[in-house]
Structure formats: structure tokens, C-alpha cells
Amino acid sequence: MFKFFKGSFTNDALESRSAPPPEALQSVAPQSVKPHTDIQRELVQVVLKDTLRRHGIPFEWLTCEVQSLVGGANAEQLNIQLVLMQWHELLLRYAPAVATQLLRGLDRFEPAVDHSKYIISWRFSPTCGCPFTVMPPPLVWSHDNTPEPIADDASSVLDRRQKKRPQKGEASDSVPPSAANPSAPPRADGHGDYDRTELSPFR
């Protein structure tokens, strides 16, 4: 009987010594995730540079910071924060397209990973040089104050010279004297609007 108790006590002691406490398991788990996060961070930076190169955007305009987020059921997600280092209005206009191209680049490098759950946000560097530091009046957001372009109908001198002169019997663009002065009575000699040539007394 004493041998039985002695053997059971020895087995329990060995099991207690071999199994680490729960606190030790919790402290080891984050360290095992860290190398994977570092690899993902480097991959995002490589894909971002490749995306900028593909679309002709200088590398110094945009950089990124990657943070690991733990969601439900220990699902790891990444928060990719794009940092604008150089102000350019077109870059902000196409900000959603830049984010889409970045996710597509990640899909090409890692086809087995679902990158659609990655969170992409934007941040402005204090030294980016943005000229819009003051908010505009409220009227700007409800009305379009952009002036419409004015069409220039005036033709140049060269354009007028290139036009063909009207042939005899065709309508001309020039205004006859009678149209310029409608109150003048018509000539009775039947010569229209032109003065009759007087004969010179010298032969």
C-alpha cells in the first residue's frame, strides 16, 4: 500500500514539474507572434514601394507604419497607416485608389492570406507642406464657386485672312451702306449705293 502511494506521489510531482504554469504560457504567446508581425511589416513596406514605383509616385512622398491588432478568436489584423511626407493634391484625390492598389499588391505576394480585413488609414506629417491650414467659409461646402470658362469667339486676323472672298452674286458678310443708314432714301438713278462718276471737263 505504501508503494502505491509513493508511486502516485512521484508521478504527480513529475507532472507538476514538467507542465509550465499558465502565466508562463501567456508570456510566451506574444513573443511567438512578434516575428510574424516583423515579417508582415517588412512585406507591407516592400509592396508599398513597388506600388509607388508602378504608378510613378516618388518614394519620399509616402511612407507607412504597421501595427498588429488582435481581434476575435485571436485573429491577427494589421493597421497600415500611410504617412504623407510630401503634400500633393492629386495624391489625396486618388487616396482610395492607392489603398486598393496596395492591397492588390499584398494579394500578389501572399495569395493564401486574406488582406481585405487590413485597416488602412492616412496621417499627415507636420512637415509635409500642406498649404491649407485654415478652414474655408461654410459657403464653400454648399456652393460651387469655381468660375465657368468663357468661350473666346473673337477670331484672329489670320483666320479672317484665310477666309475666301465671296464671289459675284454671293452674299457678303460686310454691311452695305444702305443697311448701315436705313433712313437714307434710295437713289433715283438706279446705281444703288455707289456715287455716279462725274466726267472731267479736261480731255
Side-chain angles (χ1 to χ4, degrees):
M1 179 180 297
F2 291 101
K3 293 182 179 179
F4 174 76
F5 285 110
K6 184 178 180 181
S8 62
F9 176 76
T10 305
N11 293 334
D12 294 340
L14 292 175
E15 290 178 359
S16 61
R17 291 179 181 177
S18 59
E23 294 80 3
L25 293 176
Q26 293 179 0
S27 61
V28 172
Q31 295 179 0
S32 62
V33 177
K34 189 176 184 303
H36 180 263
T37 304
D38 294 340
I39 295 175
Q40 290 297 109
R41 183 181 294 106
E42 293 178 0
L43 177 62
V44 171
Q45 292 176 355
V46 171
V47 173
L48 176 61
K49 288 186 177 181
D50 182 71
T51 303
L52 298 178
R53 180 188 59 81
R54 285 172 174 266
H55 299 280
I57 302 175
F59 293 158
E60 61 271 13
W61 284 14
L62 197 63
T63 184
C64 68
E65 294 181 2
V66 182
Q67 298 177 353
S68 177
L69 302 176
V70 179
N74 296 329
E76 184 183 2
Q77 298 180 2
L78 290 184
N79 179 17
I80 304 174
Q81 192 172 67
L82 300 177
V83 184
L84 188 66
M85 305 299 296
Q86 177 64 40
W87 169 262
H88 200 283
E89 190 173 357
L90 281 179
L91 195 58
L92 289 183
R93 185 179 301 180
Y94 294 98
V98 172
T100 301
Q101 293 300 321
L102 178 59
L103 293 178
R104 290 180 180 177
L106 291 173
D107 291 339
R108 287 194 298 268
F109 278 85
E110 288 183 323
V113 179
D114 183 14
H115 302 95
S116 61
K117 297 182 180 180
Y118 286 7
I119 301 173
I120 298 180
S121 58
W122 288 77
R123 194 181 75 190
F124 301 92
S125 173
T127 58
C128 66
C130 177
F132 305 105
T133 57
V134 181
M135 290 295 294
L139 187 64
V140 174
W141 307 108
S142 57
H143 294 79
D144 186 8
N145 295 331
T146 305
E148 298 182 356
I150 302 175
D152 188 9
D153 296 335
S155 58
S156 62
V157 177
L158 295 178
D159 294 337
R160 291 195 297 268
R161 289 182 179 179
Q162 291 177 359
K163 291 182 179 179
K164 295 182 178 180
R165 294 185 177 181
Q167 299 295 332
K168 188 176 182 180
E170 295 181 358
S172 176
D173 296 336
S174 60
V175 181
S178 59
N181 189 10
S183 61
R187 296 178 63 90
D189 52 4
H191 289 84
D193 299 325
Y194 301 97
D195 295 334
R196 183 177 180 180
T197 305
E198 300 292 339
L199 296 177
S200 176
F202 303 98
R203 299 270 179 192

